[in-house]
Structure formats: C-alpha cells, structure tokens
Amino acid sequence: MTLPLTTQTRSLTTIDSAALPARDRFAFWDSVISDHFCPASNRPASDPLAFRARIAMRSLGSIGLSDLGTAGMSSSRSRTAIRRTPLDCFFVSCLSAGEARIEQGGRRGLQKTGDFIMYDSAQPFEIEMVSDYAGKWLRVPRSVMLNRMPHAEAMTARPLSGASPMGRMLTLMLTEAQDLDVGPESPAAQRVGLSLVDLLAAAFDSGTGMVSADNARHAALLDKAKSWILAHLEDPEIDSEAMVRQIGVSRRTLNRIFALEGTTPIRWMWHQRLNRAHELLVSGGEYRVSDVALKCGFSDFSHFARAFKAAFGVMPKTLLARPH
C-alpha cells in the first residue's frame, strides 16, 4: 500500500492517515503499528470509520523516537504473537494528552497525561487507550536498556510522574531530540539517543523507588558479588560455578540476589565488560580493539564486536578512530 501523506526529511518520516478513505484508515494504521512498533492485535475504541492517526518518526542511532497521536484504541500482544514475530526491545511512552491503561508482568498501571510508562515487547501485554491520546514513544533495544537499567523487566507497567524533576527534564529532552536536524546514524544522533536512555534509567530509578535488594543481607551479598566480578572481568573463564565458589553462596542464592535487580550474574558481568571496554576505547589510550577485548574478558573478537555494537550502537573500531 502506498503511504498517504508521507513526508520525509533528513531526520523525520511523517505518516498521516487523513488522506485515506475512512473505511481504510484503521487497517492502514494497524500495519503502521506492526511495522514501526511491534506486531500486536489492535482494535479501535469506537467507530472505525471515525478513526484517524498520525506519526512522526526518527532514529537516533539504535534508538527510535516517535511523536504519535491517534483516536482511542487497544493493543495486545500474546505469547503466540511473540513466538511468531519475536522482537526484543522496550518501549517507553510519555503522554501529552489522554490516558492509557497497561497490564504486563502481573502489574496494572494507569498512565495519565504527563506520565511515562514502559512495556516489554518480549512479554505479553494489554494496552487500552479509551479516547484520543498523543505523546512520544522511545524504542530501545533490550541490550541497550539492560546495560543502563538492569532491572528494566521489573519496571514495566509502573507509571512515572512527568511532574518530578527528572521527569520534567526527560520530557524536555524528548521534545528537543525530536526536532534535532541530524542524520539518524551521525555521531551526534547516537550520543543523544544513548543519553536519553541514561536519563530515562535515572528517572525511573529515582521516581519509582526501586532498590537493588529488599534487606541488608541481600544488599551485602550483592555488593560482595559485584565487587568480585569487577575485580576479575579480565578472566574469560569466569562462570557461575566460579562465582559460587569464590563468593561463598549457593547458586540459588546468587541468582536470587541478582534477580532483585532484574538480571542474572552472567548478564550483569557481560554488561560490566562492555562498559569497561567502552571506557577504554574513549579514554584516548594507545589501544587496539583486540587489546581492549582481551582486557575485558572477551576471547572471541567477533563476538565482542557484535555485542559492543548492540550495546552502544557503534562498532568498537569507530570509537577508537575518533579524536577525543
């Protein structure tokens, strides 16, 4: 189908359903949602002949940012749909008009105008917008999100007030980022995209009161485990068995204390290895990419390059080549 009223600039693609006959608008919008968000079962909240919608989309490196406005609708993604069309990313919305109800992970959240809320494309969800709504949506690859917010999976369907200081700052940055006149893969776009995710993580951490452990004993064990892992990142032979032996806890306890942050010991270790690699590459030292990989516990250079690109949106050699 030819996209109606589609306009394209260097940074933005805008799609509007208004040019279509009324009978075709919702079916068209259903395909737009599947292509640019994630495949789901979508239904209009009222008369489909009265439905209208528009979206302005851009990319900031690996991060997607959309300005969206539609008539009321509901959307659900089942386990069957997830198996049929897997998609591994998080979405975060900030409403400028309307309300939304979202259910995921056994939680039900009411998102009011100005609020932020997050959901996970790899888990079933139900979203209902009973009337017209508008706002901005961030699409963040799972690896990027978990690198900055390891407990993101535990944060879905938890509204965050946009009236908080961090919420106001994030709202302003989203608005400014939407209007940036930079190419989608430019270094500036990539840095802005990752900065948005950093601020998002800080806003959710401060605004929802999430803590890394629910009692002092678990907090102490978690700190001990993290300290040992950080001291041994260079060792490519580290596995969960080595962690259990050196930290002095059972495998079950080790997994439980990291689960309180929505992650696993091994996943957390890989995040730290990638973070350290990034720090070394941007430090301006006389390094080769292979040296950095080995210093951070990677023995497979191809795996290192792929993992680094997934986490930071650029290949490691790109950072090494930039002046600092």
Side-chain angles (χ1 to χ4, degrees):
M1 180 184 295
T2 301
L3 298 183
L5 286 185
T6 299
T7 58
Q8 181 81 50
T9 67
R10 182 167 72 131
S11 57
L12 277 177
T13 299
T14 303
I15 302 173
D16 196 319
S17 68
L20 281 173
R23 66 180 180 276
D24 296 331
R25 289 176 187 168
F26 188 78
F28 166 72
W29 189 248
D30 187 47
S31 68
V32 171
I33 292 294
S34 294
D35 290 343
H36 297 288
F37 288 86
C38 63
S41 175
N42 301 304
R43 301 168 299 281
S46 57
D47 183 2
L49 294 178
F51 188 83
R52 71 276 183 203
R54 56 91 190 149
I55 186 171
M57 303 168 291
R58 69 169 306 150
S59 294
L60 296 164
S62 63
I63 311 303
L65 175 59
S66 301
D67 191 333
L68 174 70
T70 86
M73 59 178 287
S74 61
S75 182
S76 63
R77 185 160 161 85
S78 65
R79 293 194 182 280
T80 300
I82 292 167
R83 287 194 299 270
R84 186 181 301 124
T85 53
L87 184 66
D88 214 11
C89 61
F90 288 88
F91 291 94
V92 181
S93 63
C94 174
L95 289 189
S96 56
E99 289 187 354
R101 296 180 179 87
I102 181 167
E103 181 175 350
Q104 187 168 59
R107 295 178 292 276
R108 295 179 178 87
L110 173 62
Q111 182 186 20
K112 299 180 179 180
T113 299
D115 289 350
F116 293 84
I117 205 162
M118 177 162 53
Y119 58 99
D120 182 355
S121 69
Q123 298 296 327
F125 62 73
E126 295 273 351
I127 304 175
E128 182 182 17
M129 291 77 67
V130 296
S131 60
D132 293 4
Y133 70 100
K136 290 187 169 56
W137 265 252
L138 272 179
R139 172 175 166 159
V140 184
R142 178 174 301 276
S143 58
V144 176
M145 181 69 86
L146 293 181
N147 190 49
R148 288 154 174 79
M149 196 191 307
H151 50 275
E153 291 159 348
M155 304 292 282
T156 60
R158 297 178 186 268
L160 170 69
S161 173
S164 67
M166 295 290 283
R168 291 196 301 270
M169 187 184 303
L170 182 56
T171 301
L172 178 61
M173 279 195 65
L174 287 174
T175 301
E176 296 295 330
Q178 185 76 14
D179 296 333
L180 279 178
D181 185 21
V182 294
E185 297 301 326
S186 67
Q190 293 170 3
R191 286 194 290 269
V192 169
L194 295 178
S195 295
L196 285 173
V197 182
D198 285 333
L199 183 56
L200 175 72
F204 268 87
D205 282 346
S206 64
T208 59
M210 288 291 288
V211 294
S212 61
D214 59 3
N215 58 56
R217 176 175 173 271
H218 281 169
L221 285 175
L222 189 62
D223 286 344
K224 180 180 179 182
K226 288 181 175 180
S227 295
W228 186 86
I229 293 170
L230 289 173
H232 295 83
L233 284 182
E234 192 170 338
D235 183 357
E237 301 301 320
I238 292 178
D239 57 15
S240 56
E241 288 297 332
M243 294 179 191
V244 165
R245 288 195 307 271
Q246 297 298 325
I247 298 165
V249 296
S250 68
R251 181 191 292 270
R252 181 180 179 184
T253 297
L254 183 67
N255 288 333
R256 184 188 301 133
I257 61 177
F258 277 91
L260 291 168
E261 289 196 339
T263 189
T264 68
I266 297 299
R267 182 187 291 169
W268 191 86
M269 177 185 69
W270 285 113
H271 290 329
Q272 303 314 307
R273 284 177 165 169
L274 288 168
N275 283 338
R276 181 169 293 182
H278 187 275
E279 291 171 2
L280 290 173
L281 288 168
V282 301
S283 68
E286 296 297 323
Y287 294 112
R288 295 178 301 177
V289 170
S290 57
D291 295 333
V292 171
L294 291 172
K295 282 180 175 291
C296 298
F298 290 89
S299 55
D300 183 330
F301 300 152
S302 295
H303 173 236
F304 169 63
R306 290 193 302 271
F308 193 93
K309 174 69 181 296
F312 299 106
V314 295
M315 296 296 285
K317 63 181 180 182
T318 305
L319 287 182
L320 200 60
R322 290 178 186 166
H324 299 287

